[in-house]
């Protein structure tokens, strides 16, 4: 395995202004750091609203970072102007959560898939573009004949395959998969995950795989990062996090994963109490202290840094 770091995110911050309060900001991503080696899968997990999708969109520069570094294959793209982002856009592609809204309804499948090729001036002739689109469609199990149709003529699973073909046609090195199966029927989720896993292995792709629960990333990730209210609270090799979660929030997320039951519907143990607080006024100290069963007086005062432990683990909690 090539140990070269492909993606190095350092102290990334993304704040959004609040419409009716000029002094307030939404603390969507606060001081997040992690790295992903080439050909590895980093699963980023957390409840809805924890900042994981904003983090992904900031890394690919859909959103302008507030501060921090986004180092891709040795080059920092965090503060480069849009006109200098072409190498980033070629190296890094994104597969979006909702295949219903992420594909332009007015464009044919051919135009959707060929769009990034045109934007980067990659295919010289119409014939070359047509062949590349046909190969991309066949690569995701669709037919070249589908190229003249529109996205609405396809099922959710087929649309997500079109989204994958669009990402892969650029031959990227990193793919950000932003909850790529959560909008799909349960019956086809496994097919799409298996396809993504297959491409990842075949082309030694590096993935940042976003999901809202730990069960979804279990079989695809090498390393898992857990986010809570804009902060990375735990990083751990995937094999260990399910056996020995350290952070109380990770432990709560795992309790919320449904356990198969012999008596019918899957059983879910007590999840995390309370709602995720507002990212405009996040709690002082440890942001999880308002919901943590193990909180101590220090937790309200001091924000715990992500402490590096043995075995590639890291945890942000005063208990460690
Ligand atoms: Fe709980 Fe305190 Fe650890 Fe935060 S720092 S997770 S409040 S024990």
């Amino acid at each position: 395995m090539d140990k070269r770091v492909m993606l190095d995110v350092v102290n990334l911050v993304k704040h959004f202004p609040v419409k009716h309060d000029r002094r307030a900001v939404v603390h969507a991503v606060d001081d997040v750091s992690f790295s992903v080696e080439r050909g590895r899968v980093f699963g980023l997990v957390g409840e809805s609203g924890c900042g994981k999708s904003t983090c992904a969109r900031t890394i690919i520069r859909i959103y302008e970072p507030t501060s921090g570094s986004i180092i891709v294959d040795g080059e920092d793209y965090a503060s480069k102007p849009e006109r200098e982002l072409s190498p980033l856009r070629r190296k890094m592609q994104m597969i979006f959560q909702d295949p219903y809204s992420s594909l332009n309804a007015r464009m044919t499948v051919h135009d959707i898939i060929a769009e990034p090729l045109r934007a980067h001036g990659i295919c010289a002739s119409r014939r070359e573009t047509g062949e590349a689109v046909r190969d991309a469609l066949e690569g995701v199990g669709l037919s070249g004949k589908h190229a003249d149709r529109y996205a609405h003529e396809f099922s959710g699973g087929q649309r997500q395959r079109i989204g994958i073909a669009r990402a892969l046609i650029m031959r990227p090195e990193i793919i950000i998969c932003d909850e790529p199966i959560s909008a799909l029927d349960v019956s086809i989720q496994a097919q799409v995950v298996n396809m993504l896993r297959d491409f990842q292995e075949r082309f030694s792709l590096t993935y940042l795989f976003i999901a809202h629960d730990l069960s979804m990333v279990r079989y695809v990730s090498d390393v898992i990062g857990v986010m809570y209210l804009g902060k990375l609270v735990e990083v751990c090799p995937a094999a260990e996090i399910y056996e020995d979660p350290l952070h109380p929030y990770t432990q709560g997320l795992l309790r919320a994963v449904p356990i198969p039951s012999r008596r019918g519907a899957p059983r879910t143990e007590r999840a995390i109490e309370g709602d995720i607080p507002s990212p405009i006024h996040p709690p002082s100290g440890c942001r999880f202290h308002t919901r943590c069963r193990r909180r101590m007086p220090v937790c309200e005062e001091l924000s715990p840094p992500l402490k590096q432990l043995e075995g590639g683990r890291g945890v942000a909690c005063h208990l460690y």
Side-chain angles (χ1 to χ4, degrees):
M1 179 70 69
D2 185 347
K3 290 276 187 189
R4 181 164 52 122
V5 170
M6 272 305 290
L7 173 62
D8 196 13
V9 176
V10 187
N11 305 123
L12 188 66
V13 175
K14 178 62 192 171
H15 291 169
F16 292 101
V18 176
K19 254 189 191 168
H20 304 295
D21 185 348
R22 271 204 235 144
R23 281 171 303 172
V25 292
V26 178
H27 297 253
V29 177
D30 252 341
D31 201 19
V32 165
S33 300
F34 63 89
S35 57
V36 194
E37 287 168 7
R38 181 182 163 80
R40 309 277 279 181
V41 180
F42 188 93
L44 192 58
V45 178
E47 288 164 292
S48 184
C50 72
K52 56 193 188 304
S53 286
T54 302
C55 186
R57 283 162 192 249
T58 309
I59 289 169
I60 203 166
R61 289 288 310 267
I62 292 174
Y63 297 144
E64 189 78 8
T66 303
S67 61
S69 297
I70 303 161
I71 302 164
V72 176
D73 207 10
E75 181 99 29
D76 190 353
Y77 289 93
S79 51
K80 285 190 189 290
E82 183 62 38
R83 63 178 183 281
E84 291 175 26
L85 293 180
S86 186
L88 176 74
R89 307 254 184 262
R90 288 185 72 153
K91 278 188 181 157
M92 194 188 279
Q93 289 289 307
M94 187 152 176
I95 296 166
F96 292 89
Q97 177 178 1
D98 185 357
Y100 296 90
S101 63
S102 61
L103 304 179
N104 190 328
R106 294 198 201 114
M107 290 166 79
T108 62
V109 168
H110 172 279
D111 289 341
I112 289 169
I113 296 176
E115 192 182 35
L117 293 180
R118 290 210 190 93
H120 291 274
I122 290 175
C123 285
S125 66
R126 283 173 70 92
R127 211 189 80 211
E128 215 183 320
T129 306
E131 280 170 11
V133 170
R134 195 192 59 227
D135 288 350
L137 280 169
E138 288 174 358
V140 295
L142 295 171
S143 160
K145 290 180 195 157
H146 289 138
D148 295 330
R149 296 203 203 158
Y150 291 85
H152 67 83
E153 297 175 55
F154 295 89
S155 67
Q158 288 172 321
R159 286 185 211 206
Q160 198 54 301
R161 284 169 191 255
I162 294 167
I164 295 168
R166 186 181 197 273
L168 284 171
I169 203 165
M170 292 297 291
R171 299 181 192 275
E173 295 189 65
I174 305 174
I175 298 187
I176 296 181
C177 305
D178 186 9
E179 302 212 42
I181 57 167
S182 54
L184 302 179
D185 250 33
V186 177
S187 58
I188 47 169
Q189 286 184 346
Q191 285 175 21
V192 173
V193 167
N194 289 340
M195 175 181 289
L196 287 170
R197 186 74 198 175
D198 180 51
F199 284 129
Q200 190 268 326
E201 284 172 2
R202 253 201 289 162
F203 303 123
S204 288
L205 294 168
T206 306
Y207 279 1
L208 175 59
F209 201 102
I210 316 275
H212 61 264
D213 79 58
L214 277 158
S215 62
M216 262 188 207
V217 288
R218 183 166 196 153
Y219 301 106
V220 289
S221 307
D222 297 298
V223 176
I224 289 178
V226 179
M227 268 187 92
Y228 182 76
L229 207 55
K231 294 268 191 192
L232 197 59
V233 297
E234 183 160 5
V235 178
C236 183
E240 282 168 57
I241 202 162
Y242 297 91
E243 301 303 322
D244 182 26
L246 296 181
H247 197 282
Y249 178 61
T250 314
Q251 293 166 357
L253 279 184
L254 275 168
R255 280 197 300 274
V257 170
I259 302 163
S261 161
R262 287 194 202 138
R263 294 186 195 165
R267 184 164 53 85
T268 308
E269 288 190 24
R270 261 187 308 161
I272 305 154
E273 286 151 17
D275 294 323
I276 193 161
S278 161
I280 299 174
H281 301 292
S284 60
C286 170
R287 291 187 179 179
F288 188 56
H289 84 255
T290 54
R291 302 170 78 190
C292 182
R293 296 172 182 182
R294 301 181 70 186
R295 68 176 164 264
M296 306 169 282
V298 66
C299 304
E300 290 178 40
E301 305 286 329
L302 288 179
S303 173
L306 192 80
K307 187 174 171 187
Q308 296 305 322
L309 308 175
E310 280 180 13
R313 299 193 71 162
V315 64
C317 173
H318 293 305
L319 291 167
Y320 303 93

